[in-house]
Amino acid sequence: MRVLLTGGAGYIGAHTAVALIEAGHDVLIVDDFSASSPEAVRRIETITGAKVPVLAADARDKTALLGFVREHAPVDAVIHFAGLKAVGESMAQPVRYYDVNIGTALTVLEVMAETGIHTIVFSSSATVYGDPAPEALPLTEASTTGIDLANPYGKTKRMIEEILRDAAAADPRLQAVSLRYFNPVGAHPSGLIGEDPVGIPNNLMPILSRVAIGSMPGVSIYGDDYDTPDGTGLRDYIHVTDLAAGHVASLERARDGYAIFNLGTGKPVSVLELIEAFRLASGRPITATVAPRRAGDVASSYADPGKARRELDWSAELSIDQACADYWRWQERNPAGYRG
């Protein structure tokens, strides 16, 4: 298949591009590089030996996107990553998040309709589940969701899921898949591609790596009074290469209609456990201090990935220790990310 990746130079997009090429597919990338780097594409090409056509544009630019797709026709499928992704930032900038995330999805669907593309895999999120009660865990695809969520980021993901559901109901040719994945961590084992956040990171592992390498003084633990075994938040951390493999599996097994899959490990890890795992992987001291809870955070969130195992023949294989080791390799070899 020839697959268009919107936001394909980003953290998850770049790893998925590698996985797709290694599985025998052709890849096209559109990215505005506002939160990524063209160097990521060059490194995808280094790892795979493939040439990857790139459009440097905002995926909301319908004219540019339409021209790119027609130039490289036929395109068989889209994996839609493009969008804003920080929970905290979405609380401060809700209108921007609705504009970018929903606007991008609508433009992609319009371009697909005009160019005869009938398969889309959407980068959704476990944030659509909100703050689950302990008895509701682990989360299945049938777990309660809704628009009454803690943050606009999660709301945009949930709204796009509904848009895809309605689009698939209206067009029997459409194959639409939403992947609700949990917390991506790790990096490619080559150390060539990894997470490269712009400015101060929002996620825990890039913060830990910067503390370990000495570019940040310490890590804040946002709340140690949750109803969890050690008082810190529990999350389902999935290695990004496992996540990339899940995208390939969902694309290759897409069927007519709409489907949802959780991509996670099913094994929750606390903030304190992740800090200790990264300390061991890096061999560096990590200073941690407790801070107040953040708005929009939930106590626990982890997956039941059984549906993906049954229907996609996919399951996560790599441990949190491997994720920490791979992320540290990326950080050591690229202390300034793709810019250094």
Side-chain angles (χ1 to χ4, degrees):
M1 282 185 277
R2 182 169 295 152
V3 187
L4 173 67
L5 275 58
T6 65
Y11 176 42
I12 302 169
H15 287 84
T16 301
V18 170
L20 284 166
I21 294 167
E22 291 179 342
H25 303 291
D26 295 326
V27 166
L28 311 171
I29 287 176
V30 57
D31 203 300
D32 67 358
F33 301 110
S34 60
S36 59
S37 170
E39 179 61 23
V41 180
R42 289 189 282 271
R43 296 191 185 189
I44 292 166
E45 294 176 332
T46 297
I47 293 168
T48 63
K51 179 64 178 174
V52 179
V54 179
L55 171 67
D58 188 323
R60 289 175 294 173
D61 185 340
K62 183 177 177 180
T63 300
L65 188 59
L66 195 58
F68 186 63
V69 170
R70 286 174 171 162
E71 178 185 356
H72 295 281
V75 175
D76 302 293
V78 173
I79 301 183
H80 180 46
F81 296 105
L84 303 173
K85 63 178 186 177
V87 168
E89 185 180 66
S90 78
M91 302 286 286
Q93 303 176 32
V95 174
R96 178 172 173 243
Y97 267 68
Y98 290 123
D99 177 31
V100 173
N101 290 4
I102 296 174
T104 301
L106 292 173
T107 299
V108 167
L109 286 169
E110 289 171 1
V111 169
M112 288 175 60
E114 292 184 29
T115 56
I117 302 172
H118 302 302
T119 303
I120 180 169
V121 175
F122 170 54
S123 168
S124 191
S125 167
T127 57
V128 302
Y129 293 118
D131 188 358
E135 62 271 16
L137 295 169
L139 294 162
T140 73
E141 291 79 1
S143 295
T144 300
T145 62
I147 61 170
D148 186 20
L149 299 170
N151 57 79
Y153 166 73
K155 290 178 182 179
T156 65
K157 293 294 187 180
R158 187 70 187 94
M159 290 174 184
I160 295 167
E161 286 190 0
E162 287 304 308
I163 291 168
L164 290 174
R165 186 189 301 276
D166 290 343
D171 183 352
R173 300 169 300 173
L174 190 61
Q175 300 176 330
V177 179
S178 287
L179 298 181
R180 292 175 179 168
Y181 40 81
F182 285 66
N183 294 71
V185 290
H188 193 269
S190 67
L192 287 174
I193 57 174
E195 190 171 12
D196 186 22
V198 176
I200 298 173
N202 292 296
N203 297 325
L204 182 54
M205 191 167 282
I207 293 173
L208 292 175
S209 70
R210 292 190 182 186
V211 173
I213 209 164
S215 62
M216 289 182 67
V219 58
S220 294
I221 300 171
Y222 293 104
D224 65 349
D225 57 350
Y226 286 107
D227 185 17
T228 62
D230 64 17
T232 65
L234 287 174
R235 296 293 182 271
D236 190 335
Y237 294 100
I238 177 172
H239 198 297
V240 68
T241 59
D242 278 335
L243 190 60
H247 286 77
V248 178
S250 65
L251 181 69
E252 292 179 341
R253 292 166 176 79
R255 300 174 181 176
D256 293 348
Y258 180 66
I260 300 167
F261 295 97
N262 284 338
L263 296 188
T265 67
K267 301 173 183 177
V269 175
S270 76
V271 172
L272 288 177
E273 288 172 331
L274 182 57
I275 291 173
E276 177 61 11
F278 204 92
R279 184 189 67 80
L280 292 172
S282 66
R284 302 286 184 88
I286 296 177
T287 300
T289 56
V290 176
R293 297 184 185 187
R294 293 182 300 189
D297 278 349
V298 302
S300 301
S301 180
Y302 57 96
D304 176 350
K307 183 182 178 184
R309 183 174 59 251
R310 294 187 302 271
E311 298 187 19
L312 302 180
D313 193 26
W314 171 93
S315 60
E317 299 178 354
L318 299 172
S319 68
I320 193 64
D321 293 332
Q322 185 63 57
C324 290
D326 288 339
Y327 203 106
W328 180 241
R329 183 182 303 109
W330 152 257
Q331 180 67 77
E332 278 198 302
R333 296 183 181 181
N334 305 271
Y338 292 118
R339 296 170 295 281

